[in-house]
Amino acid sequence: MEEKRRTIGFICPKCRQSVAADRSLFSLSVGQMKLPCPCKESELLVDYTGTGYQFTVPCAACGGEHQVTITGEQMMGNRMLGFACPETGIDCCYVGEEGAVFAALPRLEQAMDKQQLRDKESDSAFLDETVMEEMLGELKDIASAGRISCTCGSKRWSVALHYSSIELRCGDCGGVLRIPAATEDDLTDLCAKGRLTIRGRNKA
């Protein structure tokens, strides 16, 4: 039987380079896993809790550190999970399939670059106002065609806008779909989807 594996990636807040590694589920479940940046100025930690995994993530978006706990089902049941900085809304870590994580990291680097420029230029409500406006237009088209639903079966949902993302929340089960909205690649990805499915809290 093929060993189950997950790829974990983040951006070092010190040297700003992407750091990623592939780990087996077994190695993540037998003690603390450390993922250091080659610059040796930061490291990501993963601790097995017995029922899930606690991540301690160095955040390049705010310069701090965040802790996120996920279940074993979340660890293996998603193509990729993104953990967002609570201060800026920008992703700070990814865990999932290798291809998905390595595709997401360059976008995160672009978002970090934009944030550095934005911090110097203005106090805009969004990381990139143009990208956000165009993504909302695309989201409106998808919604008008009735192509937004939840795995619980509901088609009732609400939308919330954040600094660098859009959040769709199911009106029945409360499940959430977070859509990155920081770069042109995020817009291209949304345009290519055509349909959005919220991962519900109740199994369909």
Side-chain angles (χ1 to χ4, degrees), residues 118-137:
R118 180 67 67 185
D119 288 343
K120 297 175 182 178
E121 294 174 358
S122 73
D123 294 322
S124 172
F126 305 116
L127 182 59
D128 189 314
E129 291 185 348
T130 301
V131 168
M132 181 63 78
E133 181 179 352
E134 293 182 358
M135 289 196 67
L136 288 174

Side-chain angles (χ1 to χ4, degrees), residues 4 9 23-24 26 53 66 75 82 91 95 130 136 139 142 174 192-193 195 202-203:
K4 295 181 178 180
R23 294 288 186 268
S24 69
F26 175 78
Y53 303 86
H66 307 304
M75 174 72 92
D91 288 341
V95 56
T130 301
L136 288 174
L139 183 63
I142 296 173
K193 288 184 184 303
R195 178 179 296 276
N202 303 321
K203 293 183 178 180

Side-chain angles (χ1 to χ4, degrees), residues 3-6 22-34 46 48 53:
E3 187 177 26
K4 295 181 178 180
R5 308 186 70 85
R6 294 283 87 173
D22 178 70
R23 294 288 186 268
S24 69
L25 193 61
F26 175 78
S27 68
L28 291 169
S29 304
V30 294
Q32 186 179 75
M33 189 281 290
K34 297 183 179 181
V46 183
Y48 183 58
Y53 303 86

